[in-house]
Amino acid sequence: MNDPTPGTPTSTTVVEPGHEVVQPSADDFRSARQLPVEEGWYKRAVFYEVLVRAFADSDRDGFGDLRGLTDKLDYLAWLGVDCLWLPPFYDSPLRDGGYDIRDYRKVLPEFGTVEDFVEFLDQAHARGIRVITDLVMNHTSDQHVWFQESRRDPEGPFGDFYVWSDDGSEYSDARIIFVDTETSNWTWDSVRGQFFWHRFFSHQPDLNFDNPAVCEAMIDALRFWLDLGIDGFRLDAVPYLFEREGTNGENLPETHQFLKRCRKVVDDEYPGRILLAEANQWPADVVEYYGDPETGGDECHMAFHFPLMPRIFMAVRRESRFPISEILAQTPEIPRNAQWGIFLRNHDELTLEMVTDDERDYMYAEYAKDPRMKANIGIRRRLAPLLDNDRNQLELFTALLLSLPGSPVIYYGDEIGMGDNIWLGDRDGVRSPMQWTPDRNAGFSSCDPGRLNLPIVMDPVYGYQAVNVEAQSNSSASLLHWNRRMMEIRRQHPAFGLGDFHELGGSNSSVLSYIRQTVDAEGHRDVVLCVNNMSRFPQPVELDLIAWKDWTLTELTGGVPFPAIGELSYLLTLPGHGFYWFSIQPAQER
Amino acid sequence: MTAPVLDALLPDLTAWLPAQRWFAAKDRTIAAVRFVGHQEVTPADAIPAVEHAVIAVSFTDGGSEETFQLLLGTRPRIPGDLEHAVIGQVGDRTVYDGLADGEISRLLLSMIVSDTAVGSLRFVPEPGIEAPVVGPGRPLLGEQSNSSVIYGERAIMKLFRRATPGLNPDLELHRALGRERSQEVAPLLGAIEGVLPGDDGALPMTVAMLQSYAANSADGWSMALTSVRDLLAEGDLRPDEVGGDFAGEASRLGKTVASVHIELARGLGTDRLGPDGVAAVADWMRDRLDRAAEAVEVVAAQRTEIARVLDGVREVEGLFVQRVHGDLHLGQTLRTPRGWLAIDFEGEPSRPLHDRIRPDSPLRDVAAMLRSFDYAAFHQLAEWETGAEAPAYLQRRAQEWADRNRSAFCDGYAEIAGSDPRDQLAVLRAYELDKAVYEVLYETRNRPNWLAIPLRSMARLVGDTAGSEGS
């Protein structure tokens, strides 16, 4: 245990005589052991998104919890993930999966306590695994004490914490994001007699970042968890912090200013910790969230690359590399210390905001054959059912995820090919309990099955008796073992995480080929060639590798040497949905 | 090299020529080769030395001569990686195909970039372009009629192998499109221009052109075949239901072609043919029909019906004409990560230059693309098993693919052009049938397995004159 940095004092706000709002300090708790500060660790890491609620239940209440998750850390260490991303575990009325935070300094009682979290973090660090978590800065739950005070007393210390309006006519250029449920970004509050502003659900009022006290309060919430030892935050819904008339209220300069301030706190007080932006925007806009390239980046360390993911699906269905080539060609350079986060699936739907209307119709037709598979502007399905449980495609998609530029984020359960349950409401269909064993409740919980928070998937193809960790651990040919091996190979080659990306093209439009290349401080060059067949049919491809003439290729999963690169195009043949990873080395090094 | 020195190369050259892919007269026996012009690019004792030469080849069949351009490199000692390009030995020097030599391609590029003239050769950069970084080039393999060198995925230089007098339409149209800031072609960067000595004195000639290289591109023909393959493997799904649907690309292609037409019209003007001009177009189609009918029985048998459709052109009240691509098909399109490009604006290489640069209806290009979609749809079935007819349901699927993509192409074209090519159905049909008749002749002579493709289209175009366009 190390000493917490100077840290956050307990915050006590007197809202009226005899009535105080008290927020605890990190000093009230012990803090977790720290991993050594390792510059750029996030660029080489494989992230794993785990829903506490759905992973393991230690106390038989039907809810996964932090102690359950702690028990499963050995599995995650065996799998080979470097960093866990936990969606919000804060106290919440759970009307939006915990993204509606009721108290920034308290753990949802079903999940455990702050002490349980510190123990989990400590145990994760003991295994070399880092942990980041979601922080929702844009809004709170309407049950947060700040909002309760704000609506009760407009003149009080929290009166100006939210965005209030007498007639709700302002900021009409801002789009409505949750078109399925919301009709306006303003909702009437009968207690205060005013409208409040919300970019998401009407039970999630937006905080007023024009109020300096809100900025301070949010930075103190960051400090609280950083003091306890957390390795960073995924900043949820980050483009919407400020509102300005005549704008769409996204990506405003004021928002970037505030993020720069957060980054400075992290850099000065908590070196080695990271900020990851969730900005569901086009890459050309998202790069703004990395900040000034001159400084190597002075806002977020990482940001998600949203449009890449639907295009991977589209490319394979079209048997053409161009959907991917196009989006990567439109992706700008990012600052030196920045990194993309890329993913195939996560706890949200497969978002289709970043594709054209035509492409969206096409994606619905291809991947959401039942209307229930759609949600907002997206598709709510897990990876395996999206791909008809086709092992070749699962491997191809994962190989792309692990080799395209960016740090991959794996969604819990996808490593064993879990299925979904489209009959559950909203996005719960992809949030069913982790399938550990073929036993009762899939080994997730020993509670009465009727008590489970969400039902276990039980269909004949994806059900827990067919798909579970225990069975796949025992079979070396399983998807689980395959995923683990691929992550291991990725770890051995820094080019995957750090390398430049250069698409090779080639005459065959069904084949996506690229070079990842990096040179370390000692001048050692790591060059990896990835060749992916988007088609279900076998394909030949001729690659222009003349820049590496006389170098040799070694296939990475088996170490088999391939013929040296000569004067002519390099000919490869790939099976349907096949892929190759090669290391390219100067002849004398072998 | 002096003329006598060059003449010493002739026996080796005569042996070397028929093995070159660009040598377009492989079925004819060479009677004699002679140099009709040559120009040293470097001093003859440079290492390597470069010389531009034009040769005339006559044939034992007594038919017309063909003229070709060569870029000869010479070195006293030949490095191993150039041995495959050697033509012969002259005195103490080995002569080889200069484009194979990275040092020579580097020299040519630097001469273009720095705006140089040597004797009758002029190396000219396009005004206002960003000059490519000078480096050695690498020969592109697998080309048919010309020879190209690629400079580090940045630029590509194409040496026109046929020596023809006049400005090559490929260069001419790329210049015009460059002035229009076209996004639909790879930007022109420069050219090498020379003169062709002839009986009437020296005429200007295009030696080579330098363009931006469309990195990471794939040609439309192979992409269309990928889509068809995906469909035919499915069997029970329609073209709009399979993952490999091409209609989106076909529509974007239509937009690209329409944009090219608009830019060419803006840059080089349009004209409206009166009755005489229209009659000339129709007569020209009639000539092609007569030639095909002489050679192919099935064309002769339907000559009257075909002529009636071709005469659809005569019925229009004036025909808008402009410079067009002239030889458009899916293989002349490139899909890049930024969209589609049209390439190779030379026109049909077998036609004389004055024919190729004659303004024509843009519907000629549209019809040619429609023909190309038919070819793509039925290509796999034609290759299926020689002799055996592909199952009827697959033929139906292929036809549906052709219909869907032809229609999508026209939709895309109409969106940009402002008028739908199908509004001028009689003209479009005439152009399409004209092309199909030519294809029947060509396939009969060259690729009998593919004959069924244009035959089928010919029957359709002749058959339902009253009906709607099949798309």
Side-chain angles (χ1 to χ4, degrees):
Chain A
M1 310 294 135
N2 65 347
D3 277 337
T5 29
T8 335
T10 306
S11 138
T12 307
T13 311
V14 180
V15 292
E16 61 186 56
H19 185 176
E20 293 172 342
V21 172
V22 181
Q23 298 176 100
S25 155
D27 296 342
D28 301 345
F29 307 93
R30 77 180 178 107
S31 53
R33 80 185 79 182
Q34 280 305 298
L35 284 171
V37 174
E38 187 190 326
E39 200 175 330
W41 63 266
Y42 50 92
K43 289 186 166 188
R44 294 192 56 178
V46 172
F47 289 73
Y48 184 92
E49 182 189 1
V50 53
L51 303 192
V52 176
R53 172 179 336 180
F55 211 59
D57 173 16
S58 71
D59 58 3
R60 308 181 64 198
D61 67 350
F63 264 87
D65 46 47
L66 287 165
R67 288 174 183 227
L69 178 55
T70 310
D71 290 342
K72 297 298 184 186
L73 282 169
D74 283 336
Y75 164 74
L76 295 170
W78 172 85
L79 182 59
V81 300
D82 303 292
C83 182
L84 302 179
W85 156 31
L86 273 53
F89 48 73
Y90 314 98
D91 186 29
S92 161
L94 295 182
R95 295 183 63 192
D96 181 24
Y99 287 87
D100 46 337
I101 297 172
R102 180 160 52 198
D103 185 341
Y104 284 101
R105 303 188 192 196
K106 191 174 164 199
V107 169
L108 186 71
E110 290 95 321
F111 287 0
T113 60
V114 173
E115 285 83 354
D116 290 339
F117 177 76
V118 171
E119 172 63 15
F120 155 70
L121 194 57
D122 191 56
Q123 290 299 321
H125 285 171
R127 290 163 179 78
I129 297 176
R130 290 184 160 85
V131 178
I132 64 171
T133 186
D134 274 27
L135 190 80
V136 188
M137 305 208 292
N138 182 66
H139 50 258
T140 66
S141 162
D142 58 4
Q143 296 183 26
H144 197 290
V145 65
W146 296 344
F147 187 72
Q148 293 303 324
E149 286 300 322
S150 190
R151 72 202 304 198
R152 188 182 65 79
D153 181 5
E155 303 306 320
F158 298 100
D160 204 18
F161 258 50
Y162 294 83
V163 183
W164 295 100
S165 159
D166 289 332
D167 57 4
S169 63
E170 295 89 339
Y171 317 131
S172 55
D173 295 334
R175 72 194 166 106
I176 295 164
I177 294 167
F178 285 166
V179 288
D180 285 3
T181 46
E182 300 300 327
T183 54
S184 167
N185 286 328
W186 290 105
T187 290
W188 176 255
D189 180 55
S190 54
V191 176
R192 176 153 160 165
Q194 273 187 308
F195 291 92
F196 63 89
W197 176 251
H198 57 88
R199 289 309 302 269
F200 297 89
F201 293 114
S202 58
H203 54 76
Q204 290 168 334
D206 275 30
L207 285 162
N208 175 21
F209 278 86
D210 280 318
N211 177 356
V214 168
C215 298
E216 287 308 319
M218 196 49 62
I219 285 173
D220 281 346
L222 292 174
R223 284 197 180 105
F224 177 82
W225 295 100
L226 289 166
D227 285 339
L228 295 180
I230 201 155
D231 297 286
F233 296 99
R234 169 186 175 274
L235 303 177
D236 187 70
V238 85
Y240 312 99
L241 301 187
F242 287 81
E243 300 75 34
R244 288 293 177 267
E245 201 58 69
T247 72
N248 65 0
E250 301 178 19
N251 313 320
L252 296 180
E254 293 83 352
T255 298
H256 288 293
Q257 277 311 315
F258 178 67
L259 288 172
K260 284 191 166 72
R261 211 178 135 200
C262 295
R263 172 66 177 262
K264 193 160 177 355
V265 168
V266 170
D267 282 352
D268 292 351
E269 301 171 30
Y270 309 95
R273 323 287 184 91
I274 63 164
L275 300 176
L276 191 171
E278 188 228 16
N280 194 350
Q281 308 275 333
W282 290 101
D285 295 322
V286 173
V287 285
E288 300 294 316
Y289 288 92
Y290 293 124
D292 183 1
E294 294 293 308
T295 65
D298 59 357
E299 281 186 37
C300 294
H301 301 77
M302 291 181 69
F304 282 124
H305 195 307
F306 279 92
L308 177 61
M309 173 261 306
R311 278 157 183 277
I312 293 176
F313 286 87
M314 198 181 302
V316 173
R317 285 303 291 155
R318 289 247 196 257
E319 308 205 348
S320 162
R321 68 170 182 260
F322 283 107
I324 297 175
S325 305
E326 273 176 356
I327 199 67
L328 291 175
Q330 290 168 26
T331 300
E333 289 285 307
I334 56 175
R336 189 171 65 248
N337 297 326
Q339 172 76 319
W340 291 110
I342 60 176
F343 55 95
L344 295 169
R345 296 297 311 107
N346 63 26
H347 64 278
D348 278 335
E349 65 270 10
L350 194 162
T351 34
L352 299 179
E353 283 174 74
M354 295 295 124
V355 298
T356 65
D357 290 349
D358 281 0
E359 291 168 345
R360 188 177 305 137
D361 291 346
Y362 174 83
M363 291 289 287
Y364 280 145
E366 291 302 326
Y367 289 108
K369 296 190 167 71
D370 188 315
R372 291 194 65 93
M373 296 168 181
K374 296 180 196 173
N376 288 315
I377 304 175
I379 298 173
R380 46 170 160 240
R381 311 222 57 198
R382 265 187 179 275
L383 183 63
L386 274 169
L387 302 180
D388 276 339
N389 210 21
D390 175 353
R391 176 74 181 259
N392 290 336
Q393 285 189 66
L394 283 166
E395 292 187 1
L396 172 65
F397 274 69
T398 307
L400 287 165
L401 176 70
L402 294 179
S403 64
L404 283 168
S407 291
V409 182
I410 294 166
Y411 185 51
Y412 87 95
D414 280 351
E415 74 270 27
I416 55 172
M418 263 172 63
D420 47 37
N421 183 347
I422 60 169
W423 303 102
L424 297 175
D426 193 31
R427 291 167 278 192
D428 282 342
V430 297
R431 299 173 181 185
S432 60
M434 181 72 178
Q435 294 168 195
W436 295 102
T437 69
D439 303 332
R440 175 164 59 122
N441 298 336
F444 160 74
S445 170
S446 53
C447 71
D448 183 333
R451 248 193 113 177
L452 286 176
N453 159 48
L454 285 176
I456 307 275
V457 173
M458 287 196 278
D459 70 57
V461 176
Y462 303 104
Y464 66 98
Q465 281 165 326
V467 176
N468 63 68
V469 171
E470 184 181 283
Q472 293 200 17
S473 303
N474 293 335
S475 161
S476 61
S478 66
L479 185 63
L480 176 63
H481 274 277
W482 184 87
N483 276 311
R484 179 172 181 255
R485 267 201 305 280
M486 294 305 282
M487 282 187 249
E488 211 170 271
I489 295 166
R490 189 183 194 279
R491 190 169 303 112
Q492 286 158 9
H493 288 273
F496 283 114
L498 306 174
D500 301 338
F501 173 86
H502 172 67
E503 202 181 327
L504 286 173
S507 50
N508 189 333
S509 61
S510 294
V511 179
L512 174 72
S513 319
Y514 43 87
I515 293 275
R516 305 295 316 275
Q517 179 169 207
T518 189
V519 184
D520 68 16
E522 285 90 57
H524 175 254
R525 183 183 296 270
D526 186 34
V527 187
V528 171
L529 165 66
C530 306
V531 188
N532 305 280
N533 180 7
M534 302 288 132
S535 166
R536 57 192 160 142
F537 305 113
Q539 299 283 342
V541 66
E542 290 181 30
L543 297 175
D544 177 358
L545 298 177
I546 195 74
W548 293 275
K549 188 167 167 286
D550 298 332
W551 289 35
T552 56
L553 296 187
T554 307
E555 200 279 332
L556 288 182
T557 63
V560 175
F562 270 54
I565 299 162
E567 191 73 48
L568 303 175
S569 303
Y570 199 85
L571 174 69
L572 287 169
T573 54
L574 296 113
H577 290 145
F579 75 92
Y580 293 125
W581 285 0
F582 294 106
S583 165
I584 305 186
Q585 295 155 327
Q588 65 272 20
E589 273 187 31
R590 289 183 63 247
Chain B
M1 289 179 274
T2 58
V5 174
L6 279 172
D7 285 342
L9 185 67
L10 285 176
D12 287 335
L13 195 56
T14 308
W16 178 77
L17 279 175
Q20 306 312 307
R21 287 184 75 134
W22 46 264
F23 186 70
K26 292 196 183 58
D27 51 344
R28 303 169 76 187
T29 308
I30 297 176
V33 179
R34 65 189 167 86
F35 282 92
V36 295
H38 59 95
Q39 170 65 53
E40 285 176 352
V41 177
T42 65
D45 56 355
I47 300 174
V50 191
E51 180 146 5
H52 173 254
V54 178
I55 53 169
V57 182
S58 59
F59 299 92
T60 54
D61 58 16
S64 58
E65 277 191 342
E66 301 266 11
T67 50
F68 295 100
Q69 304 194 64
L70 305 173
L71 268 171
L72 300 173
T74 75
R75 285 173 181 262
R77 195 172 292 110
I78 200 90
D81 58 357
L82 285 178
E83 270 167 15
H84 69 280
V86 168
I87 300 171
Q89 188 75 25
V90 175
D92 57 354
R93 288 212 159 212
T94 305
V95 183
Y96 57 95
D97 186 358
L99 288 185
D101 188 339
E103 286 189 47
I104 292 179
S105 48
R106 178 210 300 267
L107 175 71
L108 296 172
L109 178 60
S110 73
M111 290 175 80
I112 294 175
V113 167
S114 55
D115 201 351
T116 326
V118 182
S120 60
L121 292 176
R122 292 190 308 123
F123 297 78
V124 284
E126 275 301 290
I129 54 118
E130 189 185 335
V133 177
V134 173
R138 195 164 47 82
L140 181 69
L141 302 175
E143 256 186 307
Q144 292 291 348
S145 42
N146 296 309
S147 301
S148 298
V149 174
I150 297 168
Y151 296 96
E153 296 205 340
R154 295 285 173 202
I156 178 167
M157 187 175 70
K158 174 158 71 177
L159 173 70
F160 295 104
R161 283 297 184 173
R162 268 177 202 265
T164 45
L167 182 59
N168 191 304
D170 205 8
L171 179 60
E172 182 196 6
L173 297 191
H174 270 99
R175 275 201 180 133
L177 290 166
R179 283 193 299 269
E180 299 299 322
R181 309 223 171 282
S182 172
Q183 302 291 308
E184 285 76 31
V185 292
L188 182 68
L189 301 175
I192 307 175
E193 298 183 89
V195 295
L196 183 64
D199 302 337
D200 319 326
L203 296 165
M205 173 184 69
T206 307
V207 176
M209 64 185 252
L210 181 73
Q211 272 181 287
S212 288
Y213 180 73
N216 191 10
S217 60
D219 74 279
W221 172 249
S222 55
M223 288 187 65
L225 292 191
T226 301
S227 167
V228 174
R229 190 183 305 121
D230 186 53
L231 171 68
L232 295 184
E234 215 51 78
D236 58 340
L237 291 179
R238 291 174 173 279
D240 58 329
E241 296 169 327
V242 294
D245 184 17
F246 194 68
E249 299 287 6
S251 162
R252 283 189 280 271
L253 254 176
K255 292 180 186 175
T256 299
V257 172
S259 299
V260 169
H261 283 157
I262 289 170
E263 289 153 3
L264 286 174
R266 209 162 52 204
L268 298 169
T270 59
D271 198 2
R272 187 165 184 270
L273 294 184
D276 293 350
V278 172
V281 171
D283 288 345
W284 189 84
M285 289 183 179
R286 214 35 114 77
D287 279 353
R288 283 233 286 206
L289 171 60
D290 290 343
R291 264 178 286 138
E294 278 165 28
V296 187
E297 202 177 317
V298 62
V299 176
Q302 298 185 75
R303 198 185 165 284
T304 319
E305 293 82 356
I306 294 171
R308 197 167 54 230
V309 177
L310 295 184
D311 282 347
V313 172
R314 291 183 201 276
E315 286 158 31
V316 297
E317 300 250 330
L319 188 62
F320 276 101
V321 293
Q322 61 166 92
R323 294 297 299 277
V324 297
H325 183 285
D327 187 27
L328 200 57
H329 54 84
L330 282 162
Q332 306 278 42
T333 64
L334 284 184
R335 175 68 154 96
T336 75
R338 292 171 180 282
W340 287 93
L341 301 179
I343 58 170
D344 285 351
F345 285 70
E346 270 198 276
E348 280 178 38
S350 58
R351 291 169 63 191
L353 181 66
H354 63 86
D355 250 7
R356 288 190 267 150
I357 63 174
R358 189 170 49 206
D360 204 336
S361 165
L363 291 179
R364 173 177 292 285
D365 285 345
V366 173
M369 282 300 294
L370 297 182
R371 296 294 317 121
S372 195
F373 282 115
D374 262 5
Y375 259 79
F378 287 97
H379 171 268
Q380 188 180 330
L381 296 183
E383 299 272 284
W384 206 259
E385 284 164 53
T386 336
E389 177 104 330
Y393 79 95
L394 288 181
Q395 302 214 20
R396 260 200 316 279
R397 289 289 170 257
Q399 187 62 53
E400 285 167 4
W401 187 94
D403 292 347
R404 175 169 171 79
N405 288 288
R406 288 160 55 100
S407 174
F409 177 85
C410 289
D411 291 346
Y413 188 94
E415 206 176 300
I416 296 297
S419 67
D420 193 316
R422 290 162 294 194
D423 291 347
Q424 289 179 271
L425 201 51
V427 183
L428 183 63
R429 191 180 297 280
Y431 272 113
E432 205 189 334
L433 184 56
D434 170 62
K435 181 89 181 175
V437 168
Y438 168 78
E439 289 162 358
V440 169
L441 176 64
Y442 182 87
E443 303 301 7
T444 304
R445 286 182 176 162
N446 299 299
R447 301 182 295 198
N449 311 3
W450 290 21
L451 180 58
I453 301 175
L455 274 183
R456 185 188 175 97
S457 311
M458 198 173 80
R460 177 175 55 79
L461 287 159
V462 170
D464 70 349
T465 38
S468 64
E469 157 55 1
S471 18

